[in-house]
Amino acid sequence: ETGVTQSPTHLIKTRGQQVTLRCSSQSGHNTVSWYQQALGQGPQFIFQYYREEENGRGNFPPRFSGLQFPNYSSELNVNALELDDSALYLCASSLVGATYGYTFGSGTRLTVV
Amino acid sequence: KQEVTQIPAALSVPEGENLVLNCSFTDSAIYNLQWFRQDPGKGLTSLLLIQSSQREQTSGRLNASLDKSSGRSTLYIAASQPGDSATYLCAVLIQGAQKLVFGQGTRLTINP
């Protein structure tokens, strides 16, 4: 059973650019969620995808968008990057309803300069 | 709005001690509660999951309890080891919602 894998591990972007982060779900899981974790803080929910549709969204602007593919993998896209977008981005997968909890990936460290 | 608080924010103890980490939440309408471990700059590793109908879960030297009515959970670590040094996060899954709400974590240091 493979866990959640995220790519890339680290990324440096310039303010105003766009970025795409990728995530492969744990085998057997059908929902994918994305979280943003600023330094020294707990993760904050961005959104969740189920059946290739957004299934819940946190308090993030529309320039944060995502996709889920038929194989349950997912992308997080951020447009018009701002310095405050610098954070660790975590992907988590689960079965719908999260009865058995969430499995997280190792994260992508995004630095915006 | 669900809020999760973890106390203390940081804890430093000598090796071998038993210790308790605390987590409180404001809304008792939770589906489950999950404890995670996070090493510096890394992702989250799930430690224990407690369903809302359960009172506790155990895994090795770890024991987590849940008191939904008082909005509290504790993580008990027995016979602490330097390898236990990490940040510990608790998170609640709100009933009817699709998101985990996290505390800010307790940064634990075990001194040899």
Side-chain angles (χ1 to χ4, degrees):
Chain A
E1 174 181 281
T2 57
V4 176
T5 57
Q6 292 187 242
S7 62
T9 305
H10 296 88
L11 204 52
I12 299 175
K13 288 286 190 178
T14 302
R15 189 174 52 183
Q17 284 188 317
Q18 178 266 342
V19 68
T20 298
L21 310 182
R22 293 178 175 82
C23 171
S24 294
S25 305
Q26 178 170 308
S27 176
H29 285 180
N30 53 16
T31 74
V32 175
S33 304
W34 287 90
Y35 289 80
Q36 181 196 65
Q37 186 179 25
L39 205 59
Q41 303 294 316
Q44 298 291 316
F45 175 72
I46 303 175
F47 43 55
Q48 182 183 85
Y49 278 81
Y50 171 61
R51 291 184 174 175
E52 302 174 47
E53 302 230 346
E54 191 179 284
N55 187 38
R57 188 179 185 92
N59 189 26
F60 281 81
R63 60 188 185 85
F64 285 78
S65 63
L67 287 171
Q68 185 185 31
F69 300 101
N71 66 353
Y72 306 122
S73 66
S74 177
E75 289 182 355
L76 165 65
N77 299 290
V78 187
N79 293 323
L81 283 167
E82 301 176 359
L83 297 180
D84 284 349
D85 295 334
S86 295
L88 181 67
Y89 288 85
L90 295 163
C91 173
S93 71
S94 67
L95 289 170
V96 65
T99 302
Y100 302 106
Y102 288 81
T103 302
F104 279 78
S106 298
T108 294
R109 171 69 63 187
L110 173 64
T111 302
V112 182
V113 297
Chain B
K1 178 188 172 187
Q2 177 73 268
E3 292 182 359
V4 179
T5 304
Q6 291 187 246
I7 296 173
L11 182 64
S12 180
V13 300
E15 181 178 2
E17 281 202 3
N18 303 323
L19 56 98
V20 174
L21 307 182
N22 295 293
C23 171
S24 62
F25 46 94
T26 54
D27 187 344
S28 62
I30 64 169
Y31 190 67
N32 57 41
L33 183 147
Q34 202 164 354
W35 281 94
F36 295 91
R37 168 188 172 135
Q38 186 173 34
D39 293 295
K42 304 296 184 182
L44 306 185
T45 300
S46 180
L47 299 173
L48 289 164
L49 170 70
I50 310 178
Q51 304 295 345
S52 62
S53 58
Q54 297 177 320
R55 296 285 293 184
E56 65 178 312
Q57 282 287 338
T58 299
S59 176
R61 295 183 293 108
L62 305 179
N63 175 275
S65 68
L66 174 64
D67 184 342
K68 227 175 59 163
S69 61
S70 67
R72 293 182 181 181
S73 176
T74 61
L75 179 66
Y76 175 82
I77 302 176
S80 58
Q81 303 170 357
D84 295 331
S85 298
T87 295
Y88 290 79
L89 293 153
C90 75
V92 298
L93 182 64
I94 304 170
Q95 284 184 0
Q98 306 305 326
K99 65 176 185 178
L100 288 171
V101 178
F102 283 85
Q104 293 199 320
T106 293
R107 189 172 69 254
L108 177 64
T109 303
I110 307 298
N111 301 303

